Amino acid sequence: MRAEALDITIQSRDGAVWLHLAGPFHAEQAPNIREKILSLMQDGNREIIVDLNDVTHVDTGVPSLFLELLNTMRAKDGELRFIFKNDAVTKAFAPYRNLLDIHPDAEELMSGGLLGALRRRTQVLFRRTGIRLSRPVAIFLLVVLCSLFVSLAFIINLQSRRIAEQSREVEELRQWRQSAVAELDKLTSRLKPMEALGLLPDTSELPRIRRQIQALRQKTAAATPRAPATAPLPDTTKPQAPQQPADADSVAPTPPAGG
Amino acid sequence: MKRNAISLLVHPYRNILLPPAELKQAVDSFADSQLKLTTEFPNVRWNLCLPAHLVECMDSILLSKLREVQKRGNLEWLCCGYTEPFLSFSPVWLTQENIRMGVETLTSLTGAKPMGFAPPYSNWEPSHIPTLDAHGLSYAVLSRALFPAASREYLGYWATEHMGTSVLLFPVQMVHAESAPADVSEWLESVFSRGKPCSSGIKTLCIDYLLPLAPKPAVNPFDWLRKAAGAIEQSLLQYQTVRMDEVFTESTPLGLQYVAANLVFNREDAESAPIFQDYLHTFDQVGLMQRRLMEVAENIRDRDSTKQLTQATRQLFLAQDINRYLPARVSGFADGDDRLWTYRRLIEVEEQLHDLDDLKGGQIRIADFMKNGSKSAVMSNRALKVYIDHRSGGHVMELDYRPRRVNICATYASTRFEVPRIVTPGVSRTSFVDHVLAPDARWEDYAAGSVPELGDFVGTPFEYTVKKTSDSVKCVLVRNGSTTVSDKTLPLTMEKVFGLDRDTASLSFIYHLTNPSLIPLTCTLAIEVSLYLPGAEHGEAHIAAGKTTCTDLVNERFAASDLTRWSLVDHRAGMQIILSAQKPVDVWCWPCAGSGAGVYHGTTMMIVSRVELSGGTPWKLMGKLECRKARTKGKVIDAC
């Protein structure tokens, strides 16, 4: 009964198939195990974890069986991983240690940190989408993506600073305009009685002053729409400057320095 | 003149399963009666043996009163474990844990560490001596029947040794409440007169008085104790009552005595049963129960200890209770309620382990479940667990419906094997047994045993392969067999596939028959399914097929034709088993052999279909066995 000495448990955990073997693993059992794992692959399982921690003895031909299965699995873009830390299995698999993905126990395999979780997630996504990427291509794509993200962030930062400067300038101009309009209104209201009495004989300067006011309004109006969509919204709580009649006769106040 | 010593051991036991409330009441009633005795006879010293889980459910006031008696030096507690473990049938670690927990619980509840061990049914295993020693149990109390005939007449105690560790053995005179001697004084006199003393000249008799926790209504088991205590008090110059531990300080052992693994089948029996394991293994169910227990216990042993596992281990302590195994008048594995109760405990533990493992979908295990050197395939998901024996006809041995914690295939074969062969289903009742019969076979003839078997698929090996996808598990069984037609043997290939889909409570089965020869073949395929419905005995189960219903499953036979769907409903277990087939089949049902006159061992059901195979063409039958919850009626025994 050497051919049936090994106990086999096949179960699903976290999207992978776990194959737990227990008992002595004689060479006579190799065909049986090969057939079972190949059958699992044919059933569409692409991540198989072989737990050998309860294997008490391993014949010499057994590791080569798993190497063969590993090749078959990799050819199908799958993964064959191993769990063991017992002496009997470690000794038998020692020459092939670097070729196999070996973990001491299930906890270590499951808790591979952030990278491990990322890798597992990626594999699940690969399986779902059917997209396969080699490691260099994946790294290159990752670098390109990172560069794009950095450039984009730099441009956005630059733009934000310009927008902030312009917003500040617009705000200053708005404030100056408000004060200028208020001043003009005040002066106009003072001049109106004198004009009505005909005490302003010399009005030759009025057209020039009107032109100056018009220019000032145009400048202010031109500055306001230049504010981008991302600029802060105007404070609606502040009182809006009253609209000046087009033919208002008023004297423009002295603009602020540099205005 | 030296007075002879009498050690009175009061030993209550769980003779039948009791619901928790009734069990507590029985324990309290026992403690109350015992306290009355101690008050009535203040000079009599008592020894008391009770499983620790029963002491746990004892009323705290009664327990504190017993502690006071113990402090006065009139009472000594003995331990038999947390429950009453079957030492010979249980995994060693589980028994060790049971004894450890029993000692710890008794120590904390009674305030004194027990020093004596009283194995139930005097089930003695020398390999457990180191365990007893490790837990401070310095002596064991065994029936005199276990000792060699030449040593039985000695009234004293012995020492025994196993691999360098020794304990003291106290041979006891078993007295059962129902068969206790009427005249106590006379009986004591006769025992002491023929008994031989130890080297110090003192004769010490230990009486193990067994009293059932649920006695017959007319019997008061304390009557005899009262009578015995009165008789001893009246003869104070002749006898003195002692505690067990006092015996060891006052006298020396009679010598070294080796007692082999053994037990007494009936507690008060005068003879032991040294080959009891063989006897038990001539039945099938007890072996299956033991294998299930070992499987679950091994699974728990290999894990790190957690709180959940402590609960699971306690369930296993209950499952290893010897009272549920040894066949008795009202208990033991032959009793359906006892059998299902043990399975219930085991399924409960398996459920807990399944949750701990966080398994998704089905899993399949190929392991030497029967411990007979050949593998069984065990498929399971959250709702069902199926045991398949590919070596013996690809039969289904066990089928658990987990949501109701019932083993549907827990039928009982009352026929015994000639030799202990529980590992092959010779007379066992298994399911999905494939009979190939003559095309005109009728169910009356088959039930009468007059229809010959034409195929070779019953009890013969099948090749098996397993399939596992993310959703389902399947076991494919193939046999290139043969059938006899008109005295000619024709080849016939049978492939049957059992499958579990995701976590549903549905077992699918597909039969593929192929005729490799060119000769057309006509036969009848009859698939035998044996099911156990606990409600059948109480009239709470029935079979429904279309408009036909059969309610008396214990006595009546039932047959229906051209069915594609039929069901078995059990309101005691609270389940419904729905069977469906892709093509119309005939269904024959009758009670298993040994059933009738109020005794129910199970229901045999045959799914029958005519098969016509012209050369090279396959024939297919697809079906499904689905379990669903149903309304529960009646009393469900769920003793703690």
Side-chain angles (χ1 to χ4, degrees), chain A residues 93-120:
Chain A
F93 280 77
Y96 315 102
R97 208 172 165 77
N98 294 331
L99 301 174
L100 305 170
D101 185 2
I102 299 166
H103 302 264
D105 49 44
E107 287 74 29
E108 198 273 342
L109 177 79
M110 297 310 293
S111 62
L114 182 66
L115 278 176
L118 190 67
R119 195 169 57 178
R120 278 197 298 277

Side-chain angles (χ1 to χ4, degrees), chain A residues 3-4 6-10 17 19-21 29-43 45 48 65 69, chain B residues 364-367 375-377 390 463-468 474-475:
Chain A
E4 284 212 331
L6 205 59
D7 285 356
I8 308 159
T9 309
I10 306 165
V17 171
L19 193 76
H20 179 265
L21 305 178
Q29 290 158 320
N32 186 17
I33 297 297
R34 179 190 288 112
E35 180 258 317
K36 283 198 172 52
I37 296 180
L38 286 174
S39 158
L40 287 173
M41 289 180 199
Q42 280 165 12
D43 291 340
N45 299 296
I48 298 176
L65 156 78
L69 287 168
Chain B
I364 191 159
R365 185 160 179 257
I366 297 143
K375 300 289 175 190
S376 305
H390 75 95
E463 293 293 320
Y464 77 97
T465 46
V466 292
K467 297 202 171 286
K468 168 95 182 81
K474 279 179 188 163
C475 183

Side-chain angles (χ1 to χ4, degrees), chain B residues 211-285:
Chain B
L211 63 141
L213 274 176
K216 286 178 184 170
V219 180
N220 181 4
F222 279 89
D223 284 348
W224 190 86
L225 271 182
R226 187 168 288 107
K227 211 189 293 179
I232 293 166
E233 274 208 334
Q234 277 176 3
S235 316
L236 275 174
L237 291 175
Q238 274 182 285
Y239 312 120
Q240 62 170 336
T241 52
V242 290
R243 295 191 316 270
M244 290 281 191
D245 58 350
E246 289 174 317
V247 178
F248 305 116
T249 52
E250 289 173 10
S251 59
T252 51
L254 290 160
L256 195 67
Q257 183 78 255
Y258 179 77
V259 179
N262 208 336
L263 61 64
V264 182
F265 253 105
N266 296 311
R267 289 185 190 249
E268 74 276 28
D269 210 340
E271 286 304 319
S272 64
I275 52 161
F276 66 95
Q277 298 224 33
D278 279 355
Y279 170 74
L280 284 177
H281 281 129
T282 56
F283 294 95
D284 60 346
Q285 276 296 343

Side-chain angles (χ1 to χ4, degrees), chain B residues 87-88 117-126 140-153 158 160 169-174 208 257-276 322 326:
Chain B
L87 268 64
S88 306
F117 178 63
Y121 285 90
S122 291
N123 179 204
W124 178 245
E125 279 292 330
V141 174
L142 298 179
S143 167
R144 292 166 69 206
L146 263 64
F147 289 79
S151 313
R152 285 181 193 172
E153 295 308 320
W158 303 85
T160 190
L169 288 184
F170 212 126
V172 294
Q173 180 73 45
M174 310 295 278
D208 189 353
Q257 183 78 255
Y258 179 77
V259 179
N262 208 336
L263 61 64
V264 182
F265 253 105
N266 296 311
R267 289 185 190 249
E268 74 276 28
D269 210 340
E271 286 304 319
S272 64
I275 52 161
F276 66 95
I322 195 167
L326 293 185

Side-chain angles (χ1 to χ4, degrees), chain B residues 254-315:
Chain B
L254 290 160
L256 195 67
Q257 183 78 255
Y258 179 77
V259 179
N262 208 336
L263 61 64
V264 182
F265 253 105
N266 296 311
R267 289 185 190 249
E268 74 276 28
D269 210 340
E271 286 304 319
S272 64
I275 52 161
F276 66 95
Q277 298 224 33
D278 279 355
Y279 170 74
L280 284 177
H281 281 129
T282 56
F283 294 95
D284 60 346
Q285 276 296 343
V286 68
L288 287 171
M289 285 159 73
Q290 188 211 11
R291 298 301 194 265
R292 290 283 298 266
L293 172 68
M294 285 162 76
E295 188 196 20
V296 178
E298 274 171 26
N299 194 340
I300 288 194
R301 186 196 55 193
D302 298 339
R303 292 162 187 260
D304 297 333
S305 180
T306 61
K307 199 177 175 186
Q308 288 114 318
L309 289 184
T310 313
Q311 284 301 320
T313 314
R314 279 167 69 107
Q315 292 288 332

Side-chain angles (χ1 to χ4, degrees), chain B residues 625-636:
Chain B
L625 187 153
E626 196 180 346
C627 296
R628 285 186 193 166
K629 285 184 182 176
R631 198 155 49 89
T632 311
K633 279 188 210 164
K635 190 171 70 171
V636 178

Side-chain angles (χ1 to χ4, degrees), chain B residues 319-475:
Chain B
Q320 68 169 155
D321 189 344
I322 195 167
N323 298 298
R324 308 282 78 80
Y325 287 89
L326 293 185
R329 259 179 316 188
V330 287
S331 64
F333 72 91
D335 183 78
D337 280 345
D338 272 27
R339 215 162 50 236
L340 283 187
W341 184 84
T342 305
Y343 281 125
R344 193 181 175 88
R345 302 275 82 78
L346 297 172
I347 294 168
E348 225 171 276
V349 175
E350 282 174 346
E351 250 188 315
Q352 287 178 31
L353 297 178
H354 194 278
D355 288 345
L356 273 178
D357 288 341
D358 193 23
L359 299 177
K360 300 278 186 304
Q363 70 159 330
I364 191 159
R365 185 160 179 257
I366 297 143
D368 187 4
F369 166 70
M370 298 296 283
K371 312 286 179 202
N372 63 350
S374 81
K375 300 289 175 190
S376 305
V378 185
M379 297 197 298
S380 61
N381 62 13
R382 196 166 284 280
L384 288 180
K385 188 169 188 183
V386 193
Y387 290 76
I388 301 164
D389 183 3
H390 75 95
R391 285 257 167 189
S392 308
H395 301 168
V396 169
M397 296 183 288
E398 306 270 276
L399 175 57
D400 295 344
Y401 177 45
R402 286 175 157 177
R404 287 294 190 211
R405 292 163 187 167
V406 181
N407 178 4
I408 299 167
C409 288
T411 50
Y412 171 58
S414 54
T415 317
R416 286 172 56 184
F417 291 89
E418 285 177 11
V419 286
R421 291 177 61 206
I422 63 119
V423 290
T424 56
V427 289
S428 303
R429 310 220 166 275
T430 50
S431 290
F432 292 95
V433 183
D434 312 308
H435 300 278
V436 179
L437 310 174
D440 55 348
R442 293 185 314 150
W443 78 286
E444 296 91 343
D445 300 335
Y446 186 84
S450 60
V451 177
E453 181 73 47
L454 302 179
D456 63 348
F457 298 95
V458 180
T460 46
F462 276 63
E463 293 293 320
Y464 77 97
T465 46
V466 292
K467 297 202 171 286
K468 168 95 182 81
T469 61
S470 55
D471 288 342
S472 65
V473 283
K474 279 179 188 163
C475 183

